[in-house]
Amino acid sequence: MLSSSVKDITILADVVDNFGDIGVAWRLTRNIIHSSQSEAYNIRIVTNNLKAFHNINNQIDPNLSYQKCKCETKEIEVYDWTDYDFCYRTFTESPPEVILEMFQCGQPDWLEKILFEDRVSYKVHIIMIDYLSAEPWVDDFHCLKSLTRTALVPKVNFMPGFTQKTGGLLLNTLFPVHKEKCINSHNNNCQLSQVLFFAYNRDWAPVIRAMNRVFTSETTVKIAGGAGQNSILEACQNEKANFKTEKLTFMDQEKWDQNMASMDFMIIRGEDSMAQGCLSGIPFIWQAYPQQNDFQAVKVEALLTRMEPHFGTEFIYVKNAWNEMNNYQVSKDNAQLENAVYDFLTNIESLKKGFQSFASSLRSNGNLAENLMTFIEKNIKIEKY
């Protein structure tokens, strides 16, 4: 038996119904490349939605089964998950060594055949990068081993999270700049001139009414692309928004990060943007992905519990705004949501230190990508038979 260090990392991204799946996969890739260990690895991304990938990385051609894109000075190989024959042939010739399975996505049929029917001449290690959650069980599941159909394909869970007992979050070097800008300004007051609005569909009239009570013509609200954009624009028109609006088109992830870092307040949705919002130190309201039986409320409450120690009594404004934002069992007029957002905005100065303190605590947990690479180097050797 011969043993060697890992040289290949294959990332699987099954895009279900939004851009977050491929967004986190690409952010993870970028962070791995920026880590000190990256030169030793060949990195391959396999995704079933190249069009979605193109929207956040314009290097990607949605029509190609195979291509390369650059990240810094390194070339990343990109494969179309759905091209069975090409991928089966290519990965049979060069099987994966470590597979990063994003969000319990499983493997494409051609890879299942390679791993469990054809059998590779060495152990192929699967590391499952799970969904982000602040719930307590995440600590217990981090680095927990899981079964597959054969001992020759061992699997382990690697949990992103908000504590030192997890893998941490994917850090972003842009955000401390915004933090310093706020802290070091002469009057310690970042005016609400730039606002990001990135959300799912719902009736946004109550939120626009709250904004109308606080914002002026000096405020620009940037409305991000995606499924919720039209509903936000419609509410702005119906409620006669007294602030400027800017309709954003899809942009590269790097540009999106720069855009987010320049904001003074954000309403953001989903997982990746929520994680980056937490790291930014910028006051924000999170709209979680709506789930059956309002299960999103559990995730919201768990994250609020993690955040609360970093605030004082003013945390009630965060809690009320987040809970109302994720409560869909309300009337159309929804005065509760309007008032909760209004209270958040009018008390935003008192909230800034809490958001910044929470961001600092998360950065102290380290970078998910670097923690992952350290785990691979310490625990995984490729044993060839």
Side-chain angles (χ1 to χ4, degrees):
M1 181 187 298
L2 297 176
S3 179
S4 63
S5 299
V6 175
K7 299 297 182 185
D8 171 87
I9 295 177
T10 297
I11 301 173
L12 303 180
D14 179 4
V15 182
V16 180
D17 58 0
N18 59 69
F19 295 95
D21 304 313
I22 188 61
V24 177
W26 181 233
R27 189 178 298 282
L28 175 61
T29 303
R30 290 170 56 206
N31 273 256
I32 290 174
I33 296 303
H34 291 152
S35 71
S36 58
Q37 307 101 316
S38 67
E39 289 303 317
Y41 300 96
N42 176 56
I43 299 176
R44 301 186 283 193
I45 297 176
V46 181
T47 181
N48 65 344
N49 194 328
L50 290 166
K51 184 177 180 181
F53 198 2
H54 168 79
N55 282 329
I56 62 168
N57 179 359
N58 61 19
Q59 298 179 73
I60 300 300
D61 185 336
N63 301 307
L64 298 179
S65 293
Y66 169 77
Q67 58 197 291
K68 293 182 179 181
C69 69
K70 277 198 170 184
C71 183
E72 301 292 334
T73 59
K74 194 173 182 67
E75 286 191 328
I76 308 299
E77 297 181 29
V78 179
Y79 294 82
D80 182 353
W81 175 306
T82 65
D83 193 331
Y84 185 106
D85 292 338
F86 176 78
C87 288
Y88 176 72
R89 183 172 64 252
T90 303
F91 279 78
T92 297
E93 294 172 356
S94 180
E97 295 178 345
V98 169
I99 296 170
L100 304 184
E101 182 184 303
M102 307 299 295
F103 312 129
Q104 306 179 38
C105 68
Q107 298 90 43
D109 291 342
W110 51 265
L111 187 53
E112 282 271 322
K113 182 173 179 2
I114 292 171
L115 296 180
F116 300 109
E117 296 179 27
D118 300 349
R119 300 292 178 91
V120 180
S121 61
Y122 51 83
K123 282 187 177 181
V124 178
H125 295 261
I126 297 177
I127 301 176
M128 198 271 287
I129 311 295
D130 210 334
Y131 288 99
L132 175 63
S133 176
E135 295 167 86
W137 61 264
V138 171
D139 289 0
D140 297 329
F141 272 71
H142 182 54
C143 293
L144 188 67
K145 294 180 180 179
S146 180
L147 297 175
T148 70
R149 289 158 55 188
T150 171
L152 295 176
V153 186
K155 186 174 184 177
V156 66
N157 300 302
F158 203 87
M159 310 297 291
F162 297 88
T163 74
Q164 292 186 348
K165 294 181 179 180
T166 68
L169 300 176
L170 293 168
L171 302 188
N172 193 324
T173 57
L174 291 171
F175 294 139
V177 175
H178 185 279
K179 177 185 175 184
E180 292 302 319
K181 182 181 73 172
C182 291
I183 291 176
N184 295 330
S185 61
H186 294 299
N187 59 3
N188 196 32
N189 179 18
C190 296
Q191 298 297 324
L192 295 180
S193 58
Q194 297 290 320
V195 172
L196 179 64
F197 203 151
F198 179 45
Y200 300 112
N201 275 320
R202 69 169 297 167
D203 178 12
W204 291 110
V207 174
I208 302 305
R209 289 197 295 269
M211 289 179 170
N212 274 339
R213 294 165 65 184
V214 179
F215 298 164
T216 69
S217 59
E218 299 301 312
T219 303
T220 299
V221 177
K222 297 186 176 183
I223 303 170
Q229 187 179 62
N230 288 338
S231 62
I232 300 169
L233 289 168
E234 181 181 358
C236 287
Q237 182 178 2
N238 292 342
E239 298 299 323
K240 297 180 173 55
N242 60 10
F243 46 83
K244 299 173 187 174
T245 59
E246 181 180 340
K247 183 178 178 180
L248 300 181
T249 58
F250 285 105
M251 59 186 73
D252 280 4
Q253 193 174 71
E254 293 89 335
K255 187 176 180 181
W256 172 259
D257 292 345
Q258 292 168 0
N259 180 67
M260 181 181 282
S262 69
M263 295 296 116
D264 302 311
F265 164 67
M266 301 182 291
I267 294 175
I268 48 181
R269 74 180 204 192
E271 176 178 318
D272 184 46
S273 292
M274 176 271 282
Q276 297 306 302
C278 289
L279 290 165
S280 72
I282 302 168
F284 73 98
I285 300 173
W286 178 40
Q287 183 192 23
Y289 185 75
Q291 295 179 293
Q292 287 186 342
N293 301 319
D294 282 340
F295 186 72
Q296 74 277 354
V298 175
K299 294 184 176 296
V300 171
E301 184 59 33
L303 183 52
L304 287 171
T305 299
R306 298 287 186 198
M307 296 170 64
E308 187 167 9
H310 299 273
F311 294 80
T313 56
E314 73 280 358
F315 188 69
I316 189 65
Y317 303 118
V318 180
K319 190 169 186 177
N320 287 346
W322 283 38
N323 285 333
E324 292 300 331
M325 180 66 72
N326 292 282
N327 178 13
Y328 297 93
Q329 309 301 319
V330 290
S331 65
K332 184 177 180 181
D333 291 337
N334 201 345
Q336 301 100 308
L337 176 57
E338 177 183 343
N339 291 331
V341 173
Y342 172 78
D343 288 343
F344 185 105
L345 292 173
T346 53
N347 289 279
I348 201 166
E349 285 301 315
S350 67
L351 298 176
K352 287 177 181 176
K353 287 185 179 180
F355 277 99
Q356 292 164 3
S357 173
F358 184 51
S360 295
S361 74
L362 297 177
R363 286 194 287 271
S364 70
N365 294 333
N367 191 323
L368 173 68
E370 293 185 359
N371 293 337
L372 173 64
M373 300 307 289
T374 298
F375 174 84
I376 291 173
E377 291 190 345
K378 286 184 176 181
N379 296 282
I380 297 179
K381 293 294 182 182
I382 303 304
E383 300 171 346
K384 300 189 176 182
Y385 301 99

